[in-house]
Amino acid sequence: MPPQSQALFDTLDLLFLGTIGLGTVAWFTRRHFFGGSSSSSSSSNAAKSAAGSSTSMLPPPPERNFVKVMQQQGRRAIFFYGSQTGTAEDYASRLAKECSQHYGVSSMVADIENYDLTYLDALPEDSLVVFVMATYGEGEPTDNAVDFWQLLVEEETPQFSDRGSENGNQPLANVRYMVFSLGNKTYEHYNAVGRTVDKRLTELGAQRIGERGEGDDDASLEEDFLAWQEGMWPAFCQTLGVDENSAQARPRQATFAVEELESYNKDKLYLGELSEWPKKGAKIVYDAKRPYLAPVTSRELFSEDSDRHCLHVEIDISDCPDLRYQAGDHVAIWPTNSDTEVHRLADVLGLVDKLDTVVMVKAVDAAASKKHPFPVPSTYRAIFRHYLDICAPVSRQTLMSLVEYAPTEESKACLERLAKDKEAYRREVGDGVRNLAEVLALAAAGTDTTTAGFFSSVPFDLIVESTSRLQPRYYSISSTPLTDPTKISATAVTLAYQPSPDDERTVYGVATNYLYQIHATAAQIDRKSSTEPFYDLAGPRNSLGGTKIPVHVRKSQFRLPRNARKPVIMVGPGTGVAPFRGFVHERAVLKQKGEDVGPTILFYGCRHPAQDYLYAEEWPDLFKTLGGESRIITAFSRETDQKVYVQHRLREQGEDIWRLIDKEGAYIYICGDAKNMARDVQHAFVEFAMRYGGKSEEAAHDVIKKLRNTGRYQEDVWS
């Protein structure tokens, strides 16, 4: 394309994206650039995270009219969830359980992707719909909520079924709803999805019942959820004509039935497989619901005298045509729980001698949309190792449900204290990062018996009901397909830390330590004396063989400008540099091909140049290839007594950086910590607009907002 045409094309892109706004940018980018999503397209399922929102064993129900399903099954409330990592689904399930258990109201839990929400206007007035919606990335809907978002938010005049047409421009006038939204205050668009859904429903005539709930994952999402419920249930009961005072602690109703099997088909037994057995002759497509078992190699990036490990992981996808990626995407790695934690939980539940017993787990409610929580039949060992997130801190609500199974008064008092005392729970479980097994062991401590089998009376179905599915971990891809489309790179620091100075326990990251053991085994590093957790690397039926990992690719909006002549400014300390390694490699390849590539500036920070300077050997040649104003600017926080961070280096270059932004249309990319670094970096850019652009503080913030809305200020951050 001639430079003049490319420049015009780029300008029109910016004008178009700036006009349609951020929400539509999310949809437009996802749909037109990255494969899109629609209710009739398999790409929606491919993009969707398999993180607990559905299992491959559960196809969407044949009847997509959820109102008809509710009427057929006698349900008065429906709890829709938009979930990326499974938390929103867990909350929706807990609400539905409480709804039935304490208030006797029949309800259903539904993945919002599995039903056609154009029937929302047909919901009877004596029913209630509850939306539990998480916000993902830059104020975007979760993958499973994209279709709903497109209908409700991006359509100026949403088209519902004929039932609501009699209400004119308020087609949802008969709808009564509740909203609980999940977000993180360190992100720019806090709870944007829940807030926007709430606003649009009201604009379309729906009546919100009670206050909108908002959970902050940076503080205490669980406490926010529990606090919202206190006001939610009275409003819920009043709306549905239920006597709140008649609520009672009925005998526990099991959600799942568990049966130990003596007879079963060994060929159909799931030992950790993440997807259903393929039908004979069917084409196998690898995506979020069926991750690909990819060969993996790795190398250590930190020096030998570093007290940490950082791996450069190379994932081979040469034999998987279904997996395609672009620089800036994320690779999802499905870990296993360590055998250390598997045995810890099995021990306190009295299941050590039964780990290889085969069990069937299925929903008690025959009409439930989710018949099985994970692939079954399976074994206790496989369930603990591959399917349940047994390493996550246990919730207060779960602890309360376990009180009645405590075998001694002392253990009962311990569980009650942690379940009811918010401060004690925060200190010992939340901040202490204690999982279910550790809390049960804590409750057993000080008794006259050992922890082995101490809580053997706890029904296994309660463990399944109360424990989330083990989720994939997402890593920014640190490579570009322009260099090698058959290899995906990721950069991961092995996570291991003490929760507090006076706590001698070490908390280990599930996925990074799993990856490190694969690396250590391949590198023949002796770990016999190590206190680190040990993992089964063979995988179910030796499908991994110690050299493979289950993966899928999640598309991202974190993208280089389509016009390579535009300058790019990247800020990425630590492993935040990962996507920028891919970006720099990509622009270097384009430069080598003779394309006109604009200035490429990377601000990178780490502790010490001799210990944890990631990819130090690569940067000189890459930036030499790029030439011109392109350069890497480093900040080493522990090289001298004075700590220097990327935001300090950024300010040192302020005038030049502002010129690139203001005069040359530079794109800005931030990757790393959202709570401190990303916020400080944004403040620096606001200062540049004020100092070098002559803007007022308000106008300077508007500059950043406009850059965001036109795709010129992008973040890939975490808390």
Side-chain angles (χ1 to χ4, degrees), residues 142 187 190 230 247 336 425 463 581 691:
T142 56
Y187 287 28
Y190 175 59
E230 293 179 6
T336 68
Y425 174 84
I463 300 297
R581 177 181 181 268
R691 179 178 302 176

PDB file of all heavy atoms in Angstrom, residues 142 187 190 230 247 336 425 463 581 691:
ATOM      1  N   THR A 142     -17.002 -10.061  29.623  1.00  0.00           N
ATOM      2  CA  THR A 142     -16.300 -11.334  29.558  1.00  0.00           C
ATOM      3  C   THR A 142     -16.640 -12.023  28.239  1.00  0.00           C
ATOM      4  O   THR A 142     -17.639 -11.683  27.590  1.00  0.00           O
ATOM      5  CB  THR A 142     -16.707 -12.230  30.736  1.00  0.00           C
ATOM      6  OG1 THR A 142     -18.144 -12.383  30.735  1.00  0.00           O
ATOM      7  CG2 THR A 142     -16.279 -11.611  32.054  1.00  0.00           C
ATOM      8  N   TYR A 187      -8.118  -0.761  38.156  1.00  0.00           N
ATOM      9  CA  TYR A 187      -8.279  -0.656  36.710  1.00  0.00           C
ATOM     10  C   TYR A 187      -9.033   0.620  36.359  1.00  0.00           C
ATOM     11  O   TYR A 187      -9.831   1.122  37.143  1.00  0.00           O
ATOM     12  CB  TYR A 187      -9.029  -1.873  36.158  1.00  0.00           C
ATOM     13  CG  TYR A 187      -8.220  -3.148  36.136  1.00  0.00           C
ATOM     14  CD1 TYR A 187      -7.185  -3.362  37.051  1.00  0.00           C
ATOM     15  CD2 TYR A 187      -8.490  -4.153  35.225  1.00  0.00           C
ATOM     16  CE1 TYR A 187      -6.445  -4.527  37.040  1.00  0.00           C
ATOM     17  CE2 TYR A 187      -7.752  -5.332  35.204  1.00  0.00           C
ATOM     18  CZ  TYR A 187      -6.727  -5.507  36.126  1.00  0.00           C
ATOM     19  OH  TYR A 187      -5.990  -6.662  36.109  1.00  0.00           O
ATOM     20  N   TYR A 190     -13.542   0.651  36.321  1.00  0.00           N
ATOM     21  CA  TYR A 190     -13.983  -0.182  37.451  1.00  0.00           C
ATOM     22  C   TYR A 190     -15.455  -0.576  37.299  1.00  0.00           C
ATOM     23  O   TYR A 190     -16.327   0.271  37.195  1.00  0.00           O
ATOM     24  CB  TYR A 190     -13.771   0.591  38.757  1.00  0.00           C
ATOM     25  CG  TYR A 190     -14.293  -0.106  39.986  1.00  0.00           C
ATOM     26  CD1 TYR A 190     -13.824  -1.371  40.346  1.00  0.00           C
ATOM     27  CD2 TYR A 190     -15.247   0.499  40.794  1.00  0.00           C
ATOM     28  CE1 TYR A 190     -14.291  -2.005  41.481  1.00  0.00           C
ATOM     29  CE2 TYR A 190     -15.715  -0.121  41.941  1.00  0.00           C
ATOM     30  CZ  TYR A 190     -15.236  -1.380  42.281  1.00  0.00           C
ATOM     31  OH  TYR A 190     -15.703  -2.015  43.407  1.00  0.00           O
ATOM     32  N   GLU A 230     -26.894  -8.906  52.205  1.00  0.00           N
ATOM     33  CA  GLU A 230     -27.677  -8.524  53.383  1.00  0.00           C
ATOM     34  C   GLU A 230     -28.875  -7.664  53.000  1.00  0.00           C
ATOM     35  O   GLU A 230     -29.952  -7.777  53.587  1.00  0.00           O
ATOM     36  CB  GLU A 230     -26.790  -7.785  54.381  1.00  0.00           C
ATOM     37  CG  GLU A 230     -25.717  -8.663  55.013  1.00  0.00           C
ATOM     38  CD  GLU A 230     -24.834  -7.898  55.982  1.00  0.00           C
ATOM     39  OE1 GLU A 230     -25.138  -6.708  56.252  1.00  0.00           O
ATOM     40  OE2 GLU A 230     -23.849  -8.478  56.485  1.00  0.00           O
ATOM     41  N   ALA A 247     -38.036 -17.556  56.272  1.00  0.00           N
ATOM     42  CA  ALA A 247     -36.792 -18.213  55.854  1.00  0.00           C
ATOM     43  C   ALA A 247     -36.252 -19.045  56.995  1.00  0.00           C
ATOM     44  O   ALA A 247     -36.267 -18.629  58.155  1.00  0.00           O
ATOM     45  CB  ALA A 247     -35.761 -17.175  55.440  1.00  0.00           C
ATOM     46  N   THR A 336      -1.803 -28.161  36.824  1.00  0.00           N
ATOM     47  CA  THR A 336      -2.373 -29.155  37.725  1.00  0.00           C
ATOM     48  C   THR A 336      -2.015 -28.733  39.143  1.00  0.00           C
ATOM     49  O   THR A 336      -1.049 -27.996  39.360  1.00  0.00           O
ATOM     50  CB  THR A 336      -1.804 -30.564  37.466  1.00  0.00           C
ATOM     51  OG1 THR A 336      -0.422 -30.581  37.846  1.00  0.00           O
ATOM     52  CG2 THR A 336      -1.909 -30.938  36.010  1.00  0.00           C
ATOM     53  N   TYR A 425     -10.960 -13.699  59.864  1.00  0.00           N
ATOM     54  CA  TYR A 425     -10.890 -14.336  58.553  1.00  0.00           C
ATOM     55  C   TYR A 425      -9.876 -13.628  57.661  1.00  0.00           C
ATOM     56  O   TYR A 425      -9.064 -14.275  56.996  1.00  0.00           O
ATOM     57  CB  TYR A 425     -12.263 -14.328  57.881  1.00  0.00           C
ATOM     58  CG  TYR A 425     -12.226 -14.833  56.456  1.00  0.00           C
ATOM     59  CD1 TYR A 425     -12.289 -16.188  56.175  1.00  0.00           C
ATOM     60  CD2 TYR A 425     -12.084 -13.942  55.392  1.00  0.00           C
ATOM     61  CE1 TYR A 425     -12.225 -16.658  54.867  1.00  0.00           C
ATOM     62  CE2 TYR A 425     -12.017 -14.394  54.081  1.00  0.00           C
ATOM     63  CZ  TYR A 425     -12.087 -15.750  53.829  1.00  0.00           C
ATOM     64  OH  TYR A 425     -12.002 -16.201  52.531  1.00  0.00           O
ATOM     65  N   ILE A 463     -17.757 -30.607  49.170  1.00  0.00           N
ATOM     66  CA  ILE A 463     -16.442 -30.155  48.709  1.00  0.00           C
ATOM     67  C   ILE A 463     -16.532 -29.718  47.249  1.00  0.00           C
ATOM     68  O   ILE A 463     -16.020 -28.663  46.856  1.00  0.00           O
ATOM     69  CB  ILE A 463     -15.390 -31.271  48.870  1.00  0.00           C
ATOM     70  CG1 ILE A 463     -15.267 -31.699  50.339  1.00  0.00           C
ATOM     71  CG2 ILE A 463     -14.041 -30.825  48.311  1.00  0.00           C
ATOM     72  CD1 ILE A 463     -14.792 -30.596  51.259  1.00  0.00           C
ATOM     73  N   ARG A 581       8.455  -7.589  24.077  1.00  0.00           N
ATOM     74  CA  ARG A 581       9.451  -8.378  23.346  1.00  0.00           C
ATOM     75  C   ARG A 581       8.860  -8.776  21.999  1.00  0.00           C
ATOM     76  O   ARG A 581       9.521  -8.682  20.953  1.00  0.00           O
ATOM     77  CB  ARG A 581       9.849  -9.619  24.135  1.00  0.00           C
ATOM     78  CG  ARG A 581      10.839 -10.525  23.386  1.00  0.00           C
ATOM     79  CD  ARG A 581      11.187 -11.753  24.218  1.00  0.00           C
ATOM     80  NE  ARG A 581      12.155 -12.609  23.535  1.00  0.00           N
ATOM     81  CZ  ARG A 581      11.837 -13.630  22.750  1.00  0.00           C
ATOM     82  NH1 ARG A 581      10.560 -13.934  22.532  1.00  0.00           N
ATOM     83  NH2 ARG A 581      12.789 -14.356  22.173  1.00  0.00           N
ATOM     84  N   ARG A 691       2.572  20.262  31.287  1.00  0.00           N
ATOM     85  CA  ARG A 691       3.838  21.002  31.244  1.00  0.00           C
ATOM     86  C   ARG A 691       4.241  21.361  29.825  1.00  0.00           C
ATOM     87  O   ARG A 691       4.643  22.501  29.551  1.00  0.00           O
ATOM     88  CB  ARG A 691       4.944  20.180  31.902  1.00  0.00           C
ATOM     89  CG  ARG A 691       6.312  20.857  31.883  1.00  0.00           C
ATOM     90  CD  ARG A 691       7.357  19.999  32.591  1.00  0.00           C
ATOM     91  NE  ARG A 691       6.971  19.737  33.979  1.00  0.00           N
ATOM     92  CZ  ARG A 691       7.668  18.951  34.808  1.00  0.00           C
ATOM     93  NH1 ARG A 691       8.763  18.346  34.375  1.00  0.00           N
ATOM     94  NH2 ARG A 691       7.265  18.767  36.043  1.00  0.00           N
TER      95      ARG A 691
END
